Amino acid sequence: MDELLELDMLPPFHAEDWIACGKTFLAKELPLSVLLAKQELLDILTKHLTHFPSPNVNISDFTKISFPPYFKTEIILTKPKGWFSYDMPQTDLECLTSRPIPPNEFLVKLEEALGQAWFDGARSIVDPRYNDGIDRLPFWILGFWKKMVAIIEKQDLWKRSCCWVEVELQKSKDEELAKKLRDTRSVICDMEWDSQLKYQRGAVTKSHLCSFLSSAWLNDEHIDMMMEHIAQRVNTASQHATKVIVAPLSFAREIENLARQKITSFTHQKTPLLCRYEARIKEGVKKIYFPLNIQQQHWIAGFVDFEARTIGY
């Protein structure tokens, strides 16, 4: 509640104090009210949100949806600065549903240039690839493009995952494995493509599951989801609930960071995370299990056994 009150108490943003005043856009040196005003430029108008599929659409239907063309390797020769205009936006945006979206690498550069262009007085975005650049698009089209790219990339991941299941099923000579693959195929057809998962306080969605159906590298979110799932199972087993901890990646990384900094004194102020684990251990925890990454190539499980006074993996 305090944080909300602080935001409400922010001084209002007055465009006449910042726009076309010869000021330099340096995010680290600007008031929060200015940064929030800049972020609002990218907010997509509600009526155009209908172009995005609901995260609750099932994967089978989601993979069949047609989106604007997107070529991530497209080369754009125009500099980002040339994509801004002092004219007011006036183009019918429905035409954008059939135009190719600029590659994400260029969209990042365009967003980086937006702040200064806005300060200089620009009021719209130009796409010089079409109509000799006469179209004038609102700033929020950048947010539209970025959101659309993220969805297209997730669609591609789900298509790859579905294909991976089919290929593995055709290769499988083990009937038990084949049955599990058929069950998986059935589940993902009806599963929602991007609805919220219960893990990490809802910060991850079902699109994160794509990597489990592939040979792709598992990232931090995948490992923490697995650790949270195992921890929940441990906590429901009465014989382990108070004696075993399954820790997320933050546990080992905190130790690594402290070792790198050669910090040997631990306090609630300097090392709050480890102090919380210390309190649990003093309550009777016998073992801690945690994930470890080996040279960015392999995941293993580490453990500390306090009764046996051993550390291993």
Side-chain angles (χ1 to χ4, degrees), residues 1 50 62 69 72 94 103 114 122 138 152 154 159 166 177 183 199 203 215 246 273 275 279 281 290:
M1 184 61 71
T50 56
F62 174 64
K72 63 173 63 178
E94 292 304 315
L114 173 61
I152 291 171
K154 288 178 180 179
K159 286 180 177 180
E166 294 297 335
L177 175 59
D183 290 343
Y199 302 107
S215 56
V246 178
L273 179 65
C275 285
I281 293 165
F290 51 91

Side-chain angles (χ1 to χ4, degrees), residues 19 41 81-91 114 117-118 120-127 131-141:
I19 308 302
L41 298 175
K81 187 176 180 179
W83 280 57
F84 295 98
S85 169
Y86 296 107
D87 300 330
M88 291 293 292
Q90 55 189 7
T91 302
L114 173 61
W118 175 50
D120 291 341
R123 293 186 288 183
S124 61
I125 286 180
V126 175
D127 187 347
N131 292 347
D132 294 325
I134 63 173
D135 295 330
R136 298 295 181 264
L137 310 171
F139 285 140
W140 61 258
I141 198 63

Side-chain angles (χ1 to χ4, degrees), residues 49-57 62 65 67 147-148 151 193:
L49 292 176
T50 56
H51 291 293
F52 305 110
S54 164
N56 299 322
V57 172
F62 174 64
I65 296 175
F67 295 111
K147 184 176 178 67
M148 190 63 77
I151 292 175
W193 76 275

